[in-house]
Amino acid sequence: MTGLDTARLTAWLDEQGLGAGAPLAITQLYGGAQNEIYELRRGEHHSVLRIPPATAPAERDRGILREWRITAALDGTDVPHARGIAVCPGPGVLGRAFYLMGHIDGWAPMDHRDGWPEPFEADPADLAYRLVEGVAQLTTVDWRARGLADLGKPDGFHDRQVQRWTGMFARIKGRELDGMDTATAWLNAHRPLDFVPGLMHGDYQWANVMFGHGGPARLAAIVDWEMGTIGDPKLDLAWALKDWPESTDDPGATAGHVGVHGMPGRDRLVARFAEVSGRQVDDFDYYLILARWKLAIVLEQGYQRAGDNPKLRAFGELVPKLMRDAAELAESTGYR
């Protein structure tokens, strides 16, 4: 049982001309943090349905429609993505807005945290390169021509970051965070050397990409676009590399809860992004500080409402480390 109204969904698929007349098979997939995911098969039709949980707040529907809008706009670009198939913008069919995207024939890094699949187990370096090249591909999207000009507010993007997130921290503050004053003051005093607005995923990391089966390494899709906006793609790069070690020689080296031993160190990955995108990275310390500082505040929100939730309570130790790392980098950086 999936909780979906199969009869209503089948009738809607008929209206869309998707597998008309064939029986519908639904399989729930797992891995999405915000939305429910279902695989649909009906005759020759094969897709994935994304929908907010029935109990989710109303803004989740807006997030789903945002995902759909970006997914549809990416068709015809070089960005690896799942093809947009159809959208239901209202609650009339399944009680929430939802959309269908093409099924991705690939694998998720978070399913392989104990070892990469063949042929990457012995040499996973190209997986890391494909990860950062995905951000470089975002910089090539002509977001205005793709109808995304009103998706975000790029003017003043960096000027708003500190104000927005310090305001968030003030609302949920339950303790002092060592280093926050230092990192916040540094961010207030600095800006990137340049700012070229672009399509930004908003949560770019191992958990939100999929790779193609077999070699050579190929990014099959960037997924989960509910936080997408027009902002600064270099912040996506920093988000992916915020805890990436400068050296991956240690067999226990991790980044984003994934083992990265045998992969390039952070500096080499930043250099690859610059090579592929053509953008300068002399100010990358700014982005790393902002990413660590911002994530600390995001996770602190979860920690302050953790209650007996062990996953959220675990943020209690991680948040101070992130904030100290941001402050230490701010104090040591040569970027002015």
Side-chain angles (χ1 to χ4, degrees), residues 205-279:
Q205 54 174 310
W206 287 120
N208 288 327
V209 298
M210 295 184 68
F211 288 92
H213 294 294
R218 176 179 60 86
L219 199 62
I222 302 170
V223 297
D224 292 10
W225 289 91
E226 64 260 30
M227 296 178 67
T229 190
I230 303 304
D232 194 331
K234 286 203 299 189
L235 185 53
D236 275 342
L237 180 65
W239 200 255
L241 301 182
K242 59 188 173 294
D243 62 346
W244 201 289
E246 294 180 6
S247 170
T248 58
D249 293 342
D250 183 345
T254 63
H257 306 291
V258 168
V260 295
H261 175 60
M263 292 187 173
R266 186 175 64 230
D267 289 347
R268 288 172 61 192
L269 293 176
V270 173
R272 175 59 68 90
F273 167 82
E275 176 186 348
V276 175
S277 69
R279 296 198 178 188

